[in-house]
Amino acid sequence: MTGSVGYHAGLVAEEIVARHYEAHCQPVSQRRWRGKAGEVDLIARNGAQVVFIEVKKSRDFATAAHRLGPKQIKRLMAAGSEYIGTQPNGLLTDVRFDLALVNAQGEVQVIENALFAQ
């Protein structure tokens, strides 16, 4: 998907994922947060923990997961570091990087701590 269709499909996928997190008592505090290092699709709270969420949509979960490459991971980590610098506990903030996948049927699969091993 490219252009306007891809942009709007991305917005819908982000909304689906935001609702998923909120239904699991993890309220979304930021949408499309942008810093100097780049953008984070969603930022949620799990108690005191900050959860950075990268949303990927495709016809199936596997294809969506493969859309996250090394350059994007590096950008997400840098943006996340920039964001936690704005938090009261700074670098001591408890964080998690999740990958939220949305398939063609609008189903969500979340891989918690997806970027931990990177």
Side-chain angles (χ1 to χ4, degrees):
M1 279 182 278
T2 58
S4 180
V5 172
Y7 173 78
H8 287 94
L11 289 176
V12 169
E14 288 172 11
E15 180 61 30
I16 291 168
V17 170
R19 288 180 185 180
H20 173 85
Y21 275 84
E22 290 173 354
H24 290 88
C25 299
Q26 296 179 62
V28 173
S29 59
Q30 300 282 330
R31 293 172 187 249
R32 295 194 169 209
W33 182 85
R34 180 168 288 286
K36 293 177 185 172
E39 183 178 281
V40 178
D41 292 334
L42 300 169
I43 301 173
R45 294 282 179 168
N46 184 16
Q49 183 180 55
V50 174
V51 183
F52 298 102
I53 306 157
E54 179 63 17
V55 178
K56 292 295 181 189
K57 181 185 183 313
S58 193
R59 67 183 180 277
D60 57 64
F61 295 132
T63 304
H66 285 296
R67 291 191 168 170
L68 181 65
K71 285 165 87 173
Q72 193 171 28
I73 291 170
K74 185 177 179 180
R75 179 190 54 75
L76 285 167
M77 298 296 268
S81 292
E82 186 178 347
Y83 180 82
I84 63 171
T86 68
Q87 299 304 293
N89 290 334
L91 295 177
L92 298 176
T93 304
D94 183 21
V95 301
R96 185 176 87 210
F97 286 86
D98 289 358
L99 177 58
L101 310 171
V102 180
N103 68 13
Q105 291 74 40
E107 299 168 319
V108 176
Q109 182 179 41
V110 174
I111 303 170
E112 290 186 3
N113 279 322
L115 306 187
F116 181 72
Q118 299 299 326

